[in-house]
Amino acid sequence: ILNVEQSPQSLHVQEGDSTNFTCSFPSSNFYALHWYRWETAKSPEALFVMTLNGDEKKKGRISATLNTKEGYSYLYIKGSQPEDSATYLCALTGTASKLTFGTGTRLQVTL
Amino acid sequence: EPEVTQTPSHQVTQMGQEVILRCVPISNHLYFYWYRQILGQKVEFLVSFYNNEISEKSEIFDDQFSVERPDGSNFTLKIRSTKLEDSAMYFCASRDYQISYEQYFGPGTRLTVT
């Protein structure tokens, strides 16, 4: 059974702060690591899919890195804005195509 | 931009009743999934569906659950006799199997069993 862990569980930052979250996972049977952004009452939005050790991806102020050998991924948000407030989900694709999710990190950005 | 849609957004039902949750995946996708999230818990996998048959299912997906793609566009999840513990947010997702691992999610159906 894959176990995906995320930390912290929740985070409260001020507008303009930069922040980062961690996703850890077992490094065996790894196929892909996904980051999703989920706002209440909306569809979880895919941010990144990463497959290769050392992958780094960026979308605007958000970026992510992947270390498959040690089993972790970081998500960074530079200069947080109130619209970044959401739950950020990490999920792993293992030997089957299903996603195994972490608990999520709930981010709140205030003015 | 194509998106996955789900209906209804909220379903309230009494214990023991049958419910059908509906999803319209992205039209050229080939792989379909149902997940659920019980309040306060992780999003968990229920079932995957490919080529008109179940490709994988979790322990949660017992005989009370079934999936169907009745008309080539809709993808449904049926719970035959709902229990209180089936109360959760149910998400449908689809994937273009040929291109990437990325799964596209619908907005979910909140099922409340009373």
Side-chain angles (χ1 to χ4, degrees):
Chain A
I1 297 176
L2 292 176
N3 193 27
V4 179
E5 299 292 339
Q6 289 187 248
S7 63
Q9 283 194 342
S10 65
L11 198 53
H12 191 163
V13 302
Q14 300 264 313
E15 183 182 14
D17 288 348
S18 292
T19 187
N20 65 85
F21 324 131
T22 304
C23 174
S24 58
F25 52 88
S27 52
S28 58
N29 298 322
F30 174 88
Y31 277 68
L33 190 287
H34 307 246
W35 282 101
Y36 285 88
R37 180 176 177 277
W38 182 28
E39 288 183 73
T40 305
K42 295 187 179 178
S43 304
E45 173 198 355
L47 292 173
F48 306 112
V49 181
M50 295 183 286
T51 56
L52 299 176
N53 184 45
D55 256 354
E56 290 188 29
K57 296 217 171 174
K58 188 174 180 182
K59 185 186 281 191
R61 293 179 292 99
I62 306 177
S63 60
T65 61
L66 177 66
N67 184 324
T68 59
K69 291 188 192 302
E70 296 181 35
Y72 65 84
S73 174
Y74 294 138
L75 186 79
Y76 301 92
I77 302 178
K78 185 178 176 182
S80 303
Q81 299 296 310
E83 58 264 31
D84 295 328
S85 298
T87 296
Y88 291 83
L89 296 168
C90 164
L92 195 71
T93 304
T95 50
S97 70
K98 66 181 182 184
L99 295 179
T100 301
F101 282 87
T103 49
T105 293
R106 188 168 183 173
L107 174 67
Q108 189 172 355
V109 183
T110 53
L111 296 170
Chain B
E1 187 174 325
E3 59 182 18
V4 177
T5 59
Q6 290 185 243
T7 54
S9 56
H10 191 189
Q11 173 92 46
V12 181
T13 190
Q14 289 192 328
M15 198 166 52
Q17 295 296 305
E18 175 184 285
V19 293
I20 297 176
L21 309 184
R22 290 185 166 79
C23 168
V24 179
I26 294 173
S27 63
N28 60 338
H29 284 189
L30 302 176
Y31 235 112
F32 312 110
Y33 305 82
W34 283 100
Y35 295 86
R36 77 174 186 189
Q37 187 189 35
I38 295 171
L39 193 62
Q41 297 184 22
K42 293 183 180 183
V43 176
E44 51 190 355
F45 167 78
L46 293 178
V47 65
S48 59
F49 191 86
Y50 172 69
N51 201 25
N52 284 319
E53 61 183 25
I54 290 173
S55 49
E56 188 180 0
K57 59 183 180 179
S58 71
E59 291 175 356
I60 303 165
F61 195 89
D62 61 21
D63 292 344
Q64 292 300 310
F65 291 86
S66 62
V67 288
E68 198 176 31
R69 189 155 159 81
D71 56 13
S73 61
N74 290 283
F75 179 51
T76 61
L77 174 70
K78 183 194 288 187
I79 309 175
R80 287 190 184 79
S81 177
T82 50
K83 305 183 185 105
L84 294 176
E85 54 265 35
D86 293 328
S87 296
M89 180 73 90
Y90 287 80
F91 290 102
C92 171
S94 70
R95 172 184 159 206
D96 183 340
Y97 183 65
Q98 301 296 328
I99 293 181
S100 79
Y101 292 106
E102 189 167 333
Q103 294 184 23
Y104 294 81
F105 281 77
T109 293
R110 178 161 297 285
L111 177 65
T112 302
V113 182
T114 62

